């Protein structure tokens, strides 16, 4: 037997949860209560915002009787897919070369435990997200793309091009000194790790690369000089490790 006033209670709960989680109606984050007459089933759905687990716990705590048997569905905005794809690749994903549907499932798995996934930080992160969406739109002028298009593009091209567009030096986003040196000197697997995941060289690798380059440009020299304290720290850590190994072997 259905709980008394269930429809009104579920709709009221959807509004209360939206306010509780500070969801923005203008961004379509608001929690909606939808009833499927054919399946005789209620669904609470929303975009981005809190995780499934968070909403499920909050709903049961607020009105366990009314939400018994309710489905929960979390959708993602294009910003969330873009930010999620970037985070997924940076975490070391094994990119497959452009498999959009597979990449989307992987990104959604990555996003499952992330709250407010569609809110990139101002600055470089926002710029990367906007560039990715624009590129996934592929010149169609919509400034909008499907999740599979966004995730598939990262799966195909990795991430470095978002920071350093090919043939467009004036559009380079701000780089750390270590990133400047990695973009210039990484080779082989190190270069692939940079292109796909933005994995930088170590401070010692970057220092050695500049030292071995008699034609290093001023930008590279300036960057490596900024890394000197980190290089000293890395050397000290390596020396300490060697001393530990020596004392253990004795």
């Amino acid at each position: 037997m259905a709980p008394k006033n269930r429809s009104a209670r579920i709709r009221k709960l959807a509004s209360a949860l939206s306010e509780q989680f500070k969801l923005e109606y203008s961004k379509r984050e608001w929690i909606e209560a939808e009833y499927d007459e054919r399946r005789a089933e209620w669904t609470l759905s929303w975009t981005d915002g809190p995780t499934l687990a968070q909403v499920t716990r909050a709903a049961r705590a607020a009105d366990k009787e009314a939400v018994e048997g309710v489905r929960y569905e979390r959708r993602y905005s294009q910003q969330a897919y873009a930010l999620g794809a970037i985070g997924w690749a940076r975490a070391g994903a094994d990119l497959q070369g452009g498999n959009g549907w597979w990449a989307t499932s992987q990104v959604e798995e990555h996003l499952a435990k992330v709250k407010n996934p569609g809110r990139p930080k101002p600055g470089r992160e926002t710029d990367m997200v906007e560039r990715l969406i624009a590129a996934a739109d592929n010149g169609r002028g919509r400034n909008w793309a499907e999740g599979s298009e966004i995730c598939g593009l990262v799966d195909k091209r990795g991430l470095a091009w978002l920071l350093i567009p090919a043939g467009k030096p004036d559009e380079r986003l701000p780089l750390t000194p270590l990133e400047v040196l990695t973009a210039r000197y990484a080779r082989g697997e190190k270069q692939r790790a940079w292109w796909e995941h933005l994995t930088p060289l170590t401070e010692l690798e970057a220092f050695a690369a500049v030292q071995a380059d008699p034609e290093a440009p001023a930008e590279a020299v300036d960057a490596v000089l900024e890394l000197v304290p980190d290089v000293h720290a890395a050397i000290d850590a390596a020396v300490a490790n060697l001393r530990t190994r020596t004392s253990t072997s004795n």
Side-chain angles (χ1 to χ4, degrees):
M1 184 176 181
K4 186 177 180 180
N5 299 324
R6 190 185 191 202
S7 175
R9 287 161 66 181
I10 290 179
R11 295 186 188 282
K12 181 179 179 180
L13 177 62
S15 295
L17 291 175
S18 296
E19 293 176 0
Q20 177 182 332
F21 288 108
K22 297 180 172 60
L23 302 183
E24 297 184 31
Y25 185 80
S26 61
K27 294 183 178 180
R28 300 182 180 179
E29 294 177 342
W30 203 257
I31 297 175
E32 300 285 349
E34 302 166 341
Y35 184 70
D36 185 326
E37 293 187 2
R38 183 177 61 84
R39 300 169 62 179
E41 183 178 64
W42 280 95
T43 298
L44 291 180
S45 61
W46 66 99
T47 299
D48 298 344
T51 66
L52 277 171
Q54 286 178 306
V55 174
T56 301
R57 285 196 302 268
R60 289 175 178 171
D63 195 338
K64 185 176 180 179
E65 182 184 43
V67 299
E68 184 66 33
V70 166
R71 291 181 63 252
Y72 300 88
E73 181 181 358
R74 186 195 195 195
R75 300 162 184 155
Y76 297 110
S77 66
Q78 61 176 359
Q79 287 80 13
Y81 275 117
L83 192 55
I86 291 169
W88 168 67
R90 294 207 69 167
D94 183 15
L95 306 188
Q96 301 296 305
N99 188 331
W101 295 110
W102 173 84
T104 302
S105 69
Q106 298 298 303
V107 170
E108 288 176 348
E109 185 176 328
H110 172 80
L111 289 172
K113 296 182 180 179
V114 179
K115 61 181 180 180
N116 300 321
R119 300 178 185 178
K121 298 175 184 176
R124 192 172 91 162
E125 189 170 80
T126 294
D127 290 339
M128 290 177 70
V129 165
E130 290 177 352
R131 285 184 174 184
L132 177 53
I133 292 171
D137 178 42
N138 197 27
R140 287 170 290 195
R142 304 173 305 173
N143 196 29
W144 181 88
E146 295 283 357
S148 59
E149 294 171 319
I150 293 167
C151 299
L153 188 56
V154 170
D155 185 54
K156 181 179 181 179
R157 299 184 62 184
L159 298 176
W161 63 276
L162 293 172
L163 294 180
I164 312 172
K168 299 178 180 179
D170 292 342
E171 295 182 17
R172 190 179 83 173
L173 295 181
L175 302 178
T176 67
L178 193 54
E179 288 173 337
V180 168
L181 299 173
T182 300
R184 181 174 180 81
Y185 292 108
R187 297 292 183 270
E189 287 302 310
K190 297 285 185 178
Q191 186 177 58
R192 179 180 177 183
W194 167 248
W195 284 346
E196 293 188 351
H197 314 300
L198 296 184
T199 303
L201 297 172
T202 67
E203 290 82 1
L204 289 177
E205 288 171 335
F207 183 83
V210 177
Q211 193 176 36
D213 181 5
E215 299 181 0
E219 182 186 45
V221 174
D222 290 341
V224 84
L225 289 176
E226 286 191 55
L227 290 179
V228 167
D230 295 323
V231 172
H232 283 308
I235 292 173
D236 290 343
V239 170
N241 181 58
L242 289 173
R243 285 175 175 162
T244 299
R245 288 166 56 186
T246 299
S247 60
T248 302
S249 62
N250 291 337

